[in-house]
Amino acid sequence: MEIQKLYDLDDVEFEDVTIGLVRLAKNIPDHEFFFKINQGNDLKFSRIKDLVFHGVYYDYYFPRFEAYHKFTKTCFTFISNKSSDSKQKKLQTELFTEEENIKFLLNNQTEVEYILHSPEQFTDFSVILLPENLVFPIQDYNLSSEEELYQIIQYYE
């Protein structure tokens, strides 16, 4: 009996991933923001291992916070859009390199504080109650499989 190939990676179409963009109304530290979220939700966000982006001259570290929603059985992850730390790997010898000691995951969205992600295909971010007067409404944003952030999220998933 012959075993059939279940799928061919060349034939698989990668679907877009929907993430949420979170903008803060005022600048507050991570611990205070998540303390306020944890007060008003059944979700309890806690810090997990940082997302690490390896550049040519620097390694960038982005804080991540994760919680599990019991009723919908969904895991939610907040990823900081701006690196909190960077470690220089080698000296820059070129004048006009595009790499600096601070990096944004979404270069075209520098006003975004956090990227909200869930591995579910149809994610409902409305189950997270955000503190009033502290956060603007979550904006849905589609990532295509060609984007670098899509690849990073898939790696950490």
Side-chain angles (χ1 to χ4, degrees), residues 43-92:
L43 295 162
K44 298 301 174 207
F45 283 92
S46 60
R47 179 116 184 226
I48 59 173
K49 189 175 178 183
D50 287 356
L51 182 146
V52 181
F53 180 89
H54 300 287
V56 176
Y57 299 103
Y58 293 93
D59 285 337
Y60 301 98
Y61 297 87
F62 298 89
R64 293 189 308 154
F65 302 85
E66 189 173 81
Y68 181 74
H69 194 268
K70 295 174 189 171
F71 301 114
T72 62
K73 296 182 174 32
T74 304
C75 182
F76 292 101
T77 305
F78 276 92
I79 306 168
S80 180
N81 186 35
K82 183 179 178 183
S83 63
S84 64
D85 192 20
S86 61
K87 304 280 190 238
Q88 188 170 11
K89 297 193 291 189
K90 64 181 185 177
L91 240 56
Q92 291 182 342

Side-chain angles (χ1 to χ4, degrees), residues 56-140:
V56 176
Y57 299 103
Y58 293 93
D59 285 337
Y60 301 98
Y61 297 87
F62 298 89
R64 293 189 308 154
F65 302 85
E66 189 173 81
Y68 181 74
H69 194 268
K70 295 174 189 171
F71 301 114
T72 62
K73 296 182 174 32
T74 304
C75 182
F76 292 101
T77 305
F78 276 92
I79 306 168
S80 180
N81 186 35
K82 183 179 178 183
S83 63
S84 64
D85 192 20
S86 61
K87 304 280 190 238
Q88 188 170 11
K89 297 193 291 189
K90 64 181 185 177
L91 240 56
Q92 291 182 342
T93 55
E94 299 174 23
L95 282 177
F96 301 107
T97 61
E98 293 182 17
E99 196 167 331
E100 297 178 14
N101 64 343
I102 294 175
K103 177 157 180 63
F104 290 91
L105 290 174
L106 291 170
N107 289 325
N108 59 342
Q109 302 281 346
T110 57
E111 71 284 352
V112 170
E113 294 292 327
Y114 300 101
I115 298 165
L116 181 55
H117 172 258
S118 177
E120 300 295 318
Q121 186 173 4
F122 302 108
T123 307
D124 182 16
F125 296 128
S126 67
V127 298
I128 302 172
L129 299 174
L130 297 173
E132 288 185 33
N133 302 326
L134 187 61
V135 180
F136 293 109
I138 296 174
Q139 176 189 351
D140 287 346

Side-chain angles (χ1 to χ4, degrees), residues 13-47:
E13 281 189 33
F14 294 102
E15 294 185 12
D16 291 354
V17 171
T18 301
I19 58 173
L21 304 181
V22 180
R23 293 173 175 84
L24 298 181
K26 55 183 165 180
N27 193 11
I28 61 170
D30 291 340
H31 66 275
E32 187 176 331
F33 175 67
F34 287 101
F35 176 76
K36 290 184 184 281
I37 287 180
N38 288 344
Q39 278 184 322
N41 285 285
D42 293 334
L43 295 162
K44 298 301 174 207
F45 283 92
S46 60
R47 179 116 184 226

